[in-house]
Amino acid sequence: MVSEAERDEVAQEKYGRKFEELSPEERQSVGGTIGGRKRVDDIGPEGMRDMSKQQESVKAKHASEESK
């Protein structure tokens, strides 16, 4: 669970306002930022790089299959 203080901190960084003052789209963006930070904390920067390489590999495979 994310604290109100953490939501407000990210909302302030991104939009210069408190979380409660944001539009639904802005709130979603704040949530994505918080989720992304938590994910990096969980798997670390090395894990994020590995994941990015896997995604590139999958995209290349799909592009190759679509061109057939």
Side-chain angles (χ1 to χ4, degrees), residues 44-56:
E46 194 65 39
M48 292 298 285
R49 281 192 285 278
D50 290 345
M51 191 180 331
S52 181
K53 288 178 188 174
Q54 289 174 344
Q55 288 173 345
E56 289 173 16

Side-chain angles (χ1 to χ4, degrees), residues 6 31-52:
E6 186 175 4
T33 298
I34 292 169
R37 290 177 182 176
K38 295 237 183 266
R39 186 173 189 133
V40 170
D41 288 346
D42 289 347
I43 65 174
E46 194 65 39
M48 292 298 285
R49 281 192 285 278
D50 290 345
M51 191 180 331
S52 181

Side-chain angles (χ1 to χ4, degrees), residues 9-25:
E9 180 181 326
V10 174
Q12 191 67 38
E13 288 172 13
K14 291 184 71 120
Y15 300 106
R17 300 189 309 269
K18 288 187 174 188
F19 184 81
E20 295 301 320
E21 298 170 348
L22 302 179
S23 71
E25 293 82 12

